[in-house]
Amino acid sequence: MTLQQLRYFIQVVKWKSFSKAAEVLHISQPALSKQISNLEKYLRTTLIKRTNKGIELTEQGTNFYNKIKSVIQQLDFIVEETMNVKQLRVGSLSTIGSFYFPSLAAKFETHQFIPVIKSTTKKLVELTMAGELDAVIVQDTEIPFTLKNKLILEEAYVVAMPENHPLVQNEEIALQDLKNEKILLSLSGCDSRKAVLEGFYRTGFQPMVHLELPYDSLLSYTAAGYGITFIPSIQAQNMTQKGVIFKNIKNNPIRRKIYLLARSQSILELIGQHIL
């Protein structure tokens, strides 16, 4: 029996679903099922029954859950009290880290600030849960049970288009105006790509994707006239790109939520008080 198996069991009970718990824990459903099965084998009892309506706890499962939940909470409290963090390993996506990291690094005098950039929120959360990062600033994610969290910002994306595009005369751009436009998207797996596509789907149509590119090259291709793209507002407010105009989107469905996730409440509060 492992501590990880106990945490997995708590999540399955919390969400009343193996699939939902697996999504929150950032593991596959078969891997989660195997861990719960191994826990049951160790305990020599059945904790969970699967039904057409989801999952149900057995009598032994209910008793076990009620007892270990408080034990895990107490363990987390002890670990947090014992932590003496002198280094802060903070991860983020490039679109977020480029905005927050410079000011954060300048504000920590008693700690060594170590920034880490990764391409996906999923990878950043996995590294934090594994203890390789102390905290992460990420977007649009299910928050794992083991991590403390704080919503930092909810923001919209803006349209980036060539400066000679006919629509630059509009004060705002409606997504419906872009039905026949060549859209530049970041490569598969990028969080910004997911946010843009979900925004289009909410509007009721699919974008006409012309090119799929590394995120950092989107604005260069836009300036060269290959199409239009979308970037977060904080990025547009803090950068310029020759040949590119940024426009707000009318009734904007393309948005993201930015969260600070940390291994402990003390780390969350330490970093959170310094975020703009």
Side-chain angles (χ1 to χ4, degrees):
M1 183 176 69
T2 67
L3 180 60
Q4 184 183 60
Q5 288 172 346
L6 298 179
R7 292 189 185 280
Y8 285 175
F9 172 66
I10 289 172
Q11 283 297 292
V12 172
V13 176
K14 176 183 178 181
W15 295 104
K16 299 181 181 179
S17 165
F18 275 87
S19 59
K20 182 64 176 179
E23 182 181 349
V24 170
L25 291 164
H26 296 270
I27 63 172
S28 68
Q29 185 173 336
L32 176 59
S33 296
K34 183 177 180 180
Q35 290 296 320
I36 298 300
S37 177
N38 289 340
L39 176 62
E40 291 178 321
K41 287 178 182 177
Y42 179 86
L43 296 172
R44 300 179 183 177
T45 190
T46 300
L47 300 172
I48 297 173
K49 295 186 297 183
R50 287 182 170 88
T51 71
N52 292 334
K53 297 180 179 179
I55 64 111
E56 291 181 0
L57 290 177
T58 63
E59 182 178 351
Q60 295 93 330
T62 299
N63 291 334
F64 186 65
Y65 173 77
N66 290 335
K67 291 176 181 178
I68 67 164
K69 184 178 180 182
S70 60
V71 172
I72 295 299
Q73 289 173 340
Q74 182 66 18
L75 177 60
D76 288 340
F77 178 74
I78 294 170
V79 170
E80 183 175 334
E81 276 194 325
T82 308
M83 276 185 175
N84 182 19
V85 180
K86 293 302 180 184
Q87 290 184 335
L88 285 175
R89 301 161 298 172
V90 184
S92 188
L93 306 169
S94 60
T95 60
I96 300 174
S98 60
F99 178 74
Y100 286 108
F101 280 176
S103 62
L104 279 176
K107 291 175 181 176
F108 284 103
E109 298 179 356
T110 58
H111 296 73
Q112 181 185 3
F113 183 81
I114 303 174
V116 177
I117 297 294
K118 296 295 180 181
S119 59
T120 66
T121 287
K122 183 176 184 294
K123 181 63 177 177
L124 288 163
V125 172
E126 289 173 352
L127 291 173
T128 310
M129 293 179 68
E132 296 182 38
L133 294 174
D134 297 305
V136 287
I137 307 174
V138 293
Q139 73 178 65
D140 301 329
T141 185
E142 293 283 356
I143 299 170
F145 173 71
T146 55
L147 299 182
K148 308 303 179 183
N149 71 88
K150 177 182 180 180
L151 177 63
I152 299 174
L153 174 70
E154 182 175 358
E155 67 164 347
Y157 281 64
V158 298
V159 180
M161 57 181 56
E163 61 183 2
N164 60 354
H165 195 286
L167 290 176
V168 299
Q169 305 301 322
N170 295 10
E171 185 174 346
E172 290 185 318
I173 306 297
L175 284 190
Q176 289 85 349
D177 297 335
L178 307 179
K179 283 186 177 181
N180 299 317
E181 296 292 333
K182 295 178 179 178
I183 305 297
L184 309 180
L185 285 184
S186 48
L187 296 172
S188 179
C190 176
D191 291 18
S192 286
R193 174 195 177 99
K194 180 180 178 181
V196 171
L197 288 176
E198 287 181 351
F200 269 96
Y201 297 155
R202 291 189 196 104
T203 306
F205 68 94
Q206 294 185 355
M208 186 172 69
V209 179
H210 180 53
L211 290 174
E212 298 180 6
L213 305 159
Y215 183 84
D216 292 341
S217 66
L218 287 173
L219 292 182
S220 297
Y221 276 77
T222 300
Y226 284 91
I228 67 172
T229 193
F230 304 85
I231 68 169
S233 296
I234 58 172
Q235 186 179 2
Q237 293 166 8
N238 291 274
M239 71 172 297
T240 58
Q241 172 73 43
K242 185 177 180 180
V244 175
I245 300 295
F246 301 121
K247 289 288 183 179
N248 291 329
I249 301 171
K250 186 176 182 180
N251 300 322
N252 196 346
I254 306 178
R255 312 185 69 85
R256 69 174 179 177
K257 291 182 179 180
I258 299 176
Y259 293 92
L260 171 64
L261 309 181
R263 293 172 56 204
S264 74
Q265 187 65 32
S266 59
I267 294 176
L268 185 81
E269 293 174 0
L270 177 64
I271 298 174
Q273 67 181 330
H274 294 304
I275 289 181
L276 297 175

